[in-house]
Amino acid sequence: MPGYLTTHVLDTARGCPAQGLRIDLYRIEGDSRHHLRSLTTNNDGRTDEHILPQAEFQTGVYELVFHAGAYLDATGTPPEDPRFLDRVPIRFGMSETTHYHVPLLLSPFGYSTYRGS
């Protein structure tokens, strides 16, 4: 089965998908970080296309950066200066050619992730 990468962002404070949240994908090679693409979540908290499509999939180390602060500002979450969570980086490895799903459960003061299916 070809490999690819997806995500799903849920706003646990508001109890809904996180729509309009920007996500950047980087490939990590040693001490270098290479930007591959930027996507934005749709009304279901997912991206309209795979974050890393099958045609570009390679095993290795990657980082997703979720722009939580801008999302929280856009949803009217009371501002802080600075925000407790601004950008949420999740660095992970993909060792097999399969579907990787890296969801984010987000609130203004915490987040969690896991390897989904």
Side-chain angles (χ1 to χ4, degrees):
M1 174 167 103
Y4 60 99
L5 173 63
T6 59
T7 192
H8 189 198
V9 185
L10 298 173
D11 183 330
T12 57
R14 296 174 53 223
C16 63
Q19 179 180 4
L21 190 145
R22 179 179 158 191
I23 304 167
D24 291 321
L25 173 66
Y26 296 87
R27 181 170 172 80
I28 309 301
E29 295 173 342
D31 291 334
S32 298
R33 186 174 171 232
H34 306 281
H35 184 260
L36 300 180
R37 69 180 32 87
S38 296
L39 299 164
T40 302
T41 56
N42 60 24
N43 63 354
D44 192 36
R46 302 173 190 273
T47 56
D48 288 333
E49 57 191 68
H50 295 154
I51 294 174
L52 186 60
Q54 294 175 356
E56 299 172 34
F57 184 89
Q58 296 178 43
T59 58
V61 178
Y62 290 84
E63 184 175 85
L64 289 170
V65 177
F66 297 86
H67 293 255
Y71 165 78
L72 294 168
D73 289 345
T75 61
T77 302
E80 303 171 280
D81 188 22
R83 277 212 177 270
F84 179 69
L85 293 178
D86 183 25
R87 293 184 184 180
V88 175
I90 299 174
R91 190 169 286 195
F92 57 97
M94 297 191 293
S95 59
E96 304 171 44
T97 304
T98 189
H99 175 202
Y100 282 83
H101 184 68
V102 181
L104 180 70
L105 305 176
L106 176 66
S107 79
F109 301 107
Y111 66 91
S112 64
T113 190
Y114 54 94
R115 181 176 173 181
S117 58

